[in-house]
Amino acid sequence: MLKKIAVIGGAGNVGRGIVKTFKKFGWEVDVIDPQINSSFEELNEFELKKIFSPVKHIVYCAEIGNRDLYTSSLDLGKRNNFRFKNFCIKTSQLNPEATIWYIGSWTKRKPNKKWIVTDKSPNKLFKECIPYEKAKISAEKNARSLSKKIKIRFLDWASIVPNLSENFTIAKMVKQALSEGIITYSPGQYGRPLLESEQAGEALLLLIKNDKKVRFKTFFIPGI
């Protein structure tokens, strides 16, 4: 039986890698993105039902804005939260059994004196966070609240990643976390791995395969 998934925001950097990987592994992928077809809000009832009714998993990587835009547009976080809320309400009406994989990212860990951050680093105080970080903290709280309507997984892909060896990828970290319950690092000077190509899709496939039947879960990579 052909497995199906819907990807909201499938033309962006992360979305492209997810779409490519799932297709490679034999999934049928419905992509919704203004750069390809239309935004979620522009779909009519027939199109929404056709896309969302048959799928068990929906990937949401349609957040608007980068770190700089969150600084210049202080209400951007609220707008993104409102948009995701509307998406969850509509989706839960069409397919209450689906799971939404919400691709988020934030950085709210304190580095040490050498500017190294690990999964053991303490969180910043909220007042110490930049607007982008505050918005992502708010997004996680928003997603947790909405999980009363539909199952949601909030994924923090790359926020707590320390200096790593150059061949350490996000997908490898997820695999080790799932199999061993812990992630080990090789100190290096390459910084955190970039979330490009198909790493996001490879990691997401592993998480879906090992998903548990709970209403809400936050995944930290590393620190899963």
Side-chain angles (χ1 to χ4, degrees):
M1 183 178 179
L2 187 63
K3 292 175 285 188
K4 297 182 179 181
I5 193 167
V7 181
I8 316 302
N13 176 45
V14 177
R16 286 197 306 270
I18 291 173
V19 170
K20 186 176 180 181
T21 300
F22 274 79
K23 285 184 175 180
K24 184 175 73 174
F25 283 88
W27 288 61
E28 180 181 320
V29 184
D30 270 318
V31 180
I32 301 172
D33 194 292
Q35 296 184 52
I36 299 175
N37 38 44
S38 64
S39 67
F40 165 78
E41 292 88 348
E42 295 170 328
L43 297 175
N44 59 43
E45 291 297 323
F46 174 79
E47 292 170 325
L48 288 169
K49 187 175 182 179
K50 182 180 179 181
I51 292 170
F52 294 112
S53 294
V55 300
K56 292 184 178 180
H57 301 281
I58 301 165
V59 182
Y60 187 91
C61 43
E63 291 284 85
I64 299 172
N66 54 28
R67 291 174 183 269
D68 293 336
L69 193 55
Y70 278 96
T71 301
S72 60
S73 303
L74 295 180
D75 67 334
L76 182 57
K78 290 183 179 179
R79 286 189 277 130
N80 274 325
N81 285 349
F82 181 75
R83 187 172 185 235
F84 183 65
K85 179 179 180 180
N86 287 338
F87 174 79
C88 289
I89 291 173
K90 177 64 71 173
T91 304
S92 65
Q93 293 170 347
L94 294 165
N95 187 352
E97 298 305 314
T99 300
I100 297 177
W101 295 81
Y102 186 3
I103 310 300
S105 178
W106 57 1
T107 303
K108 68 184 198 75
R109 295 293 181 110
K110 287 184 178 180
N112 62 19
K113 293 181 179 180
K114 295 182 179 180
W115 286 97
I116 295 176
V117 178
T118 73
D119 57 337
K120 294 182 179 179
S121 300
N123 286 331
K124 295 179 182 178
L125 297 175
F126 188 77
K127 64 182 180 181
E128 297 175 328
C129 294
I130 61 174
Y132 173 83
E133 294 164 352
K134 292 179 179 179
K136 294 304 177 180
I137 293 171
S138 175
E140 191 270 346
K141 291 181 179 178
N142 184 50
R144 186 182 294 274
S145 175
L146 291 167
S147 65
K148 297 174 184 177
K149 298 182 178 295
I150 192 167
K151 294 187 290 292
I152 299 175
R153 311 288 179 258
F154 187 87
L155 287 83
D156 176 5
W157 286 115
S159 68
I160 317 169
V161 181
N163 290 337
L164 305 171
S165 60
E166 61 183 337
N167 64 345
F168 220 118
T169 69
I170 290 172
K172 287 181 181 179
M173 286 190 285
V174 170
K175 186 175 182 179
Q176 187 178 15
L178 290 170
S179 63
E180 301 176 26
I182 190 171
I183 304 169
T184 54
Y185 314 106
S186 299
Q189 299 183 8
Y190 300 98
R192 63 191 185 191
L194 297 177
L195 188 59
E196 294 182 312
S197 185
E198 301 171 44
Q199 286 189 30
E202 292 169 4
L204 188 55
L205 276 169
L206 289 169
L207 294 176
I208 287 177
K209 182 180 179 181
N210 291 272
D211 193 37
K212 308 297 182 183
K213 293 183 179 180
V214 296
R215 300 301 302 176
F216 182 82
K217 188 169 181 61
T218 296
F219 291 95
F220 294 106
I221 311 297
I224 198 166

